[in-house]
Amino acid sequence: MFTGIIEELGTVERIERTADAARLTIRGPLVVDGAGHGDSISVNGVCLTVVAQTPETFTADVMAQTLSMSTLAGATAGSPVNLERAALVGGRLGGHIVQGHIDGTGTVLAVVPGEAWRVVRFSLEPALAPLVVDKGSIAIDGVSLTVSNISPADQPEQWFEVSLIPETLAATTLGALTVGDAVNLETDIIARHVERMLALSARTPAGPSPQTDTSETSAPSAPSAVLRSTP
C-alpha cells in the first residue's frame, strides 16, 4: 500500500521486452535504500516487485495485463518516473490509500496555468466516472491528488480536473504534462468497494414473502387421536 506522496523522481535505465511481458531497470537511489528482494515500489502509480537491485537501481517484471492497462507499455530508456516505497505501518498517511493497482489511463485535455498553480483536465472512461467525485481523492501516475472539478453526469464525454501546486509541479512528472499525454489513473479503493457492494445488492433476489396468518379463516383441524393403554 502507498500514500501517493512521491519520494523521488527516477529514470528508466533499461527495458527488456518479451512477447507478453517486460523487465524494467529503474534508477532511484532513494527508494532503493533499504529495499530488498520482493519489496514493492510504486512506479508512476503501478505497484512493482523488486527482483534485483544495485545501490542505485532496481529491476522489476511487468506482466502483460499491467502493460495493457498502464502507460508503462510506452516507457522508454530515459523516461522520468514517479517513485514511492510502500507505506510504513504506523507512519503518517500524508495522501490517501493507494494500492498501485491501476484502473486505466486518461489523457490530458487541457492545461491552464495560474499564478501559483496549474489546473489540468483529464479524460475519464465511462466505467470510471462513477468512482470520481468532486473533492474526492485520485492517484495520477501515483501522485495523490484532490479532484477540483468534474464534468456533469449527463455529459457524454466525462472529464475531471486537478489543481497542481508548485511543489507537485516540481517534484513529480506532472509538471511536464502537455495536452495529449497519457497518465495512469487509480480511483479511490473505498469508492470501488461501494460500487461493487451496490451492484451485488441490486442482483440479490428478494427473500420469501412472509406467510399470511390464516388461522382465523381456515377450518379447524380434526382432533388428533390419543392412544390409551388398557387397564
Side-chain angles (χ1 to χ4, degrees):
M1 188 181 77
F2 307 92
T3 67
I5 305 300
I6 302 304
E7 295 185 282
E8 182 177 19
L9 270 174
T11 306
V12 177
E13 284 214 333
R14 185 170 64 255
I15 302 178
E16 303 168 42
R17 300 185 184 274
T18 61
D20 60 352
R23 173 165 284 199
L24 273 63
T25 298
I26 298 169
R27 178 171 296 278
L30 176 61
V31 298
V32 171
D33 183 32
H37 186 87
D39 284 353
S40 296
I41 295 178
S42 170
V43 180
N44 272 2
V46 181
C47 178
L48 298 182
T49 301
V50 176
V51 297
Q53 65 188 105
T54 70
E56 294 193 347
T57 68
F58 69 94
T59 299
D61 292 318
V62 186
M63 60 183 181
Q65 182 183 18
T66 303
L67 291 172
S68 66
M69 293 185 64
S70 73
T71 59
L72 292 185
T76 58
S79 295
V81 286
N82 298 318
L83 301 177
E84 180 192 356
R85 291 170 290 189
L88 288 171
V89 176
R92 294 183 179 87
L93 185 60
H96 71 285
I97 298 173
V98 179
Q99 292 183 298
H101 302 162
I102 301 303
D103 292 311
T105 61
T107 304
V108 177
L109 299 177
V111 179
V112 180
E115 291 184 8
W117 64 87
R118 190 175 302 169
V119 177
V120 185
R121 178 176 292 190
F122 299 90
S123 64
L124 189 60
E125 297 176 8
L128 300 182
L131 305 176
V132 180
V133 298
D134 191 26
K135 305 305 183 289
S137 296
I138 192 167
I140 301 177
D141 276 352
V143 183
S144 174
L145 296 167
T146 300
V147 176
S148 58
N149 195 11
I150 55 174
S151 55
D154 59 356
Q155 187 167 320
E157 300 295 330
Q158 291 289 296
W159 51 263
F160 72 95
E161 292 179 346
V162 295
S163 298
L164 305 179
I165 62 174
E167 174 65 18
T168 304
L169 294 171
T172 74
T173 59
L174 303 188
L177 289 177
T178 59
V179 173
D181 286 345
V183 295
N184 295 320
L185 301 178
E186 180 184 337
T187 57
D188 185 13
I189 180 60
I190 298 175
R192 297 204 301 271
H193 274 298
V194 171
E195 182 191 47
R196 177 64 172 170
M197 287 189 293
L198 290 175
L200 290 177
S201 177
R203 292 179 53 190
T204 302
S209 301
Q211 294 183 350
T212 304
D213 184 3
T214 59
S215 58
E216 294 184 0
T217 57
S218 60
S221 59
S224 59
V226 178
L227 296 177
R228 300 181 184 275
S229 60
T230 304

